[in-house]
mmCIF file of all heavy atoms in Angstrom:
data_model
loop_
_atom_site.group_PDB
_atom_site.id
_atom_site.type_symbol
_atom_site.label_atom_id
_atom_site.label_comp_id
_atom_site.label_asym_id
_atom_site.label_seq_id
_atom_site.Cartn_x
_atom_site.Cartn_y
_atom_site.Cartn_z
ATOM 1 N N GLN I 10 15.411 -1.203 -6.036
ATOM 2 C CA GLN I 10 16.541 -0.883 -5.171
ATOM 3 C C GLN I 10 16.111 -0.032 -3.978
ATOM 4 O O GLN I 10 16.679 1.018 -3.694
ATOM 5 C CB GLN I 10 17.646 -0.194 -5.971
ATOM 6 C CG GLN I 10 18.181 -1.062 -7.077
ATOM 7 C CD GLN I 10 19.163 -0.324 -7.963
ATOM 8 O OE1 GLN I 10 19.343 0.870 -7.856
ATOM 9 N NE2 GLN I 10 19.807 -1.073 -8.848
ATOM 10 N N LEU I 11 15.079 -0.497 -3.288
ATOM 11 C CA LEU I 11 14.581 0.164 -2.090
ATOM 12 C C LEU I 11 14.686 -0.809 -0.919
ATOM 13 O O LEU I 11 14.559 -2.014 -1.097
ATOM 14 C CB LEU I 11 13.121 0.589 -2.284
ATOM 15 C CG LEU I 11 12.899 1.651 -3.352
ATOM 16 C CD1 LEU I 11 11.431 1.760 -3.696
ATOM 17 C CD2 LEU I 11 13.445 2.988 -2.890
ATOM 18 N N ASP I 12 14.946 -0.289 0.274
ATOM 19 C CA ASP I 12 15.179 -1.135 1.444
ATOM 20 C C ASP I 12 13.970 -1.128 2.383
ATOM 21 O O ASP I 12 13.670 -0.102 2.997
ATOM 22 C CB ASP I 12 16.409 -0.615 2.190
ATOM 23 C CG ASP I 12 16.880 -1.567 3.269
ATOM 24 O OD1 ASP I 12 16.116 -2.465 3.658
ATOM 25 O OD2 ASP I 12 18.028 -1.403 3.714
ATOM 26 N N PRO I 13 13.268 -2.262 2.507
ATOM 27 C CA PRO I 13 12.115 -2.302 3.404
ATOM 28 C C PRO I 13 12.501 -2.159 4.876
ATOM 29 O O PRO I 13 11.719 -1.680 5.680
ATOM 30 C CB PRO I 13 11.471 -3.653 3.127
ATOM 31 C CG PRO I 13 12.498 -4.461 2.423
ATOM 32 C CD PRO I 13 13.457 -3.521 1.789
ATOM 33 N N VAL I 14 13.712 -2.530 5.252
ATOM 34 C CA VAL I 14 14.159 -2.413 6.640
ATOM 35 C C VAL I 14 14.293 -0.937 7.031
ATOM 36 O O VAL I 14 13.997 -0.546 8.158
ATOM 37 C CB VAL I 14 15.489 -3.161 6.862
ATOM 38 C CG1 VAL I 14 16.016 -2.951 8.265
ATOM 39 C CG2 VAL I 14 15.315 -4.641 6.567
ATOM 40 N N LEU I 15 14.704 -0.104 6.092
ATOM 41 C CA LEU I 15 14.829 1.332 6.343
ATOM 42 C C LEU I 15 13.513 2.076 6.104
ATOM 43 O O LEU I 15 13.466 3.297 6.200
ATOM 44 C CB LEU I 15 15.925 1.936 5.454
ATOM 45 C CG LEU I 15 17.335 1.440 5.718
ATOM 46 C CD1 LEU I 15 18.318 2.033 4.727
ATOM 47 C CD2 LEU I 15 17.750 1.767 7.149
ATOM 48 N N GLY I 16 12.462 1.360 5.769
ATOM 49 C CA GLY I 16 11.160 1.981 5.575
ATOM 50 C C GLY I 16 10.991 2.669 4.234
ATOM 51 O O GLY I 16 10.135 3.543 4.096
ATOM 52 N N GLU I 17 11.783 2.311 3.237
ATOM 53 C CA GLU I 17 11.679 2.940 1.915
ATOM 54 C C GLU I 17 10.557 2.336 1.078
ATOM 55 O O GLU I 17 10.078 2.971 0.143
ATOM 56 C CB GLU I 17 13.011 2.811 1.176
ATOM 57 C CG GLU I 17 14.130 3.548 1.869
ATOM 58 C CD GLU I 17 15.484 3.275 1.271
ATOM 59 O OE1 GLU I 17 15.641 2.325 0.481
ATOM 60 O OE2 GLU I 17 16.411 4.026 1.597
ATOM 61 N N ILE I 18 10.185 1.137 1.401
ATOM 62 C CA ILE I 18 9.100 0.461 0.700
ATOM 63 C C ILE I 18 8.375 -0.400 1.743
ATOM 64 O O ILE I 18 9.004 -0.915 2.659
ATOM 65 C CB ILE I 18 9.629 -0.385 -0.483
ATOM 66 C CG1 ILE I 18 8.486 -0.913 -1.346
ATOM 67 C CG2 ILE I 18 10.550 -1.469 -0.027
ATOM 68 C CD1 ILE I 18 8.954 -1.519 -2.676
ATOM 69 N N THR I 19 7.073 -0.480 1.631
ATOM 70 C CA THR I 19 6.305 -1.238 2.618
ATOM 71 C C THR I 19 5.177 -1.996 1.940
ATOM 72 O O THR I 19 4.878 -1.756 0.770
ATOM 73 C CB THR I 19 5.760 -0.302 3.722
ATOM 74 O OG1 THR I 19 5.207 -1.083 4.760
ATOM 75 C CG2 THR I 19 4.721 0.652 3.173
ATOM 76 N N TRP I 20 4.579 -2.888 2.672
ATOM 77 C CA TRP I 20 3.485 -3.713 2.161
ATOM 78 C C TRP I 20 2.228 -3.334 2.923
ATOM 79 O O TRP I 20 2.214 -3.315 4.147
ATOM 80 C CB TRP I 20 3.825 -5.181 2.386
ATOM 81 C CG TRP I 20 2.939 -6.125 1.670
ATOM 82 C CD1 TRP I 20 1.866 -6.776 2.187
ATOM 83 C CD2 TRP I 20 3.036 -6.537 0.315
ATOM 84 N NE1 TRP I 20 1.292 -7.569 1.228
ATOM 85 C CE2 TRP I 20 2.000 -7.434 0.065
ATOM 86 C CE3 TRP I 20 3.905 -6.220 -0.720
ATOM 87 C CZ2 TRP I 20 1.792 -8.027 -1.162
ATOM 88 C CZ3 TRP I 20 3.702 -6.811 -1.938
ATOM 89 C CH2 TRP I 20 2.668 -7.708 -2.163
ATOM 90 N N TYR I 21 1.156 -3.020 2.219
ATOM 91 C CA TYR I 21 -0.093 -2.630 2.865
ATOM 92 C C TYR I 21 -1.263 -3.122 2.024
ATOM 93 O O TYR I 21 -1.328 -2.830 0.832
ATOM 94 C CB TYR I 21 -0.142 -1.103 3.026
ATOM 95 C CG TYR I 21 -1.401 -0.589 3.676
ATOM 96 C CD1 TYR I 21 -1.637 -0.784 5.023
ATOM 97 C CD2 TYR I 21 -2.346 0.088 2.935
ATOM 98 C CE1 TYR I 21 -2.782 -0.312 5.631
ATOM 99 C CE2 TYR I 21 -3.508 0.570 3.529
ATOM 100 C CZ TYR I 21 -3.714 0.367 4.871
ATOM 101 O OH TYR I 21 -4.843 0.827 5.465
ATOM 102 N N GLU I 22 -2.154 -3.849 2.644
ATOM 103 C CA GLU I 22 -3.349 -4.379 1.992
ATOM 104 C C GLU I 22 -3.035 -5.088 0.667
ATOM 105 O O GLU I 22 -3.682 -4.873 -0.360
ATOM 106 C CB GLU I 22 -4.384 -3.279 1.770
ATOM 107 C CG GLU I 22 -4.974 -2.755 3.059
ATOM 108 C CD GLU I 22 -6.101 -1.761 2.846
ATOM 109 O OE1 GLU I 22 -6.399 -1.399 1.695
ATOM 110 O OE2 GLU I 22 -6.681 -1.351 3.860
ATOM 111 N N GLY I 23 -1.998 -5.903 0.692
ATOM 112 C CA GLY I 23 -1.663 -6.725 -0.464
ATOM 113 C C GLY I 23 -0.898 -6.030 -1.580
ATOM 114 O O GLY I 23 -0.736 -6.586 -2.660
ATOM 115 N N LYS I 24 -0.402 -4.815 -1.335
ATOM 116 C CA LYS I 24 0.353 -4.083 -2.364
ATOM 117 C C LYS I 24 1.609 -3.487 -1.756
ATOM 118 O O LYS I 24 1.625 -3.126 -0.582
ATOM 119 C CB LYS I 24 -0.494 -2.940 -2.942
ATOM 120 C CG LYS I 24 -1.695 -3.390 -3.710
ATOM 121 C CD LYS I 24 -2.441 -2.181 -4.255
ATOM 122 C CE LYS I 24 -3.707 -2.607 -4.966
ATOM 123 N NZ LYS I 24 -4.496 -1.473 -5.405
ATOM 124 N N ALA I 25 2.642 -3.356 -2.579
ATOM 125 C CA ALA I 25 3.869 -2.683 -2.160
ATOM 126 C C ALA I 25 3.692 -1.184 -2.403
ATOM 127 O O ALA I 25 3.153 -0.778 -3.433
ATOM 128 C CB ALA I 25 5.060 -3.216 -2.949
ATOM 129 N N TYR I 26 4.130 -0.369 -1.428
ATOM 130 C CA TYR I 26 4.037 1.086 -1.538
ATOM 131 C C TYR I 26 5.403 1.696 -1.292
ATOM 132 O O TYR I 26 6.130 1.278 -0.392
ATOM 133 C CB TYR I 26 3.074 1.656 -0.496
ATOM 134 C CG TYR I 26 1.628 1.405 -0.800
ATOM 135 C CD1 TYR I 26 1.007 0.238 -0.390
ATOM 136 C CD2 TYR I 26 0.887 2.327 -1.511
ATOM 137 C CE1 TYR I 26 -0.322 0.002 -0.661
ATOM 138 C CE2 TYR I 26 -0.440 2.103 -1.801
ATOM 139 C CZ TYR I 26 -1.042 0.934 -1.373
ATOM 140 O OH TYR I 26 -2.354 0.713 -1.660
ATOM 141 N N ILE I 27 5.723 2.723 -2.055
ATOM 142 C CA ILE I 27 6.946 3.478 -1.827
ATOM 143 C C ILE I 27 6.615 4.562 -0.815
ATOM 144 O O ILE I 27 5.653 5.303 -0.975
ATOM 145 C CB ILE I 27 7.464 4.100 -3.130
ATOM 146 C CG1 ILE I 27 7.761 3.000 -4.137
ATOM 147 C CG2 ILE I 27 8.708 4.942 -2.865
ATOM 148 C CD1 ILE I 27 8.047 3.503 -5.514
ATOM 149 N N THR I 28 7.411 4.663 0.238
ATOM 150 C CA THR I 28 7.174 5.646 1.288
ATOM 151 C C THR I 28 7.888 6.955 0.959
ATOM 152 O O THR I 28 8.673 7.028 0.001
ATOM 153 C CB THR I 28 7.690 5.119 2.635
ATOM 154 O OG1 THR I 28 9.109 4.981 2.543
ATOM 155 C CG2 THR I 28 7.057 3.782 2.999
ATOM 156 N N ALA I 29 7.649 7.975 1.770
ATOM 157 C CA ALA I 29 8.339 9.257 1.590
ATOM 158 C C ALA I 29 9.851 9.067 1.705
ATOM 159 O O ALA I 29 10.621 9.702 0.984
ATOM 160 C CB ALA I 29 7.847 10.268 2.608
ATOM 161 N N GLU I 30 10.273 8.157 2.586
ATOM 162 C CA GLU I 30 11.715 7.891 2.733
ATOM 163 C C GLU I 30 12.294 7.287 1.454
ATOM 164 O O GLU I 30 13.414 7.602 1.057
ATOM 165 C CB GLU I 30 11.969 6.956 3.916
ATOM 166 C CG GLU I 30 11.728 7.583 5.271
ATOM 167 C CD GLU I 30 10.257 7.642 5.665
ATOM 168 O OE1 GLU I 30 9.397 7.059 4.948
ATOM 169 O OE2 GLU I 30 9.959 8.272 6.679
#
Side-chain angles (χ1 to χ4, degrees):
Q10 299 174 352
L11 295 166
D12 190 344
V14 175
L15 295 176
E17 296 172 346
I18 189 169
T19 189
W20 192 262
Y21 180 72
E22 292 186 356
K24 294 181 183 175
Y26 286 87
I27 300 170
T28 65
E30 290 80 8

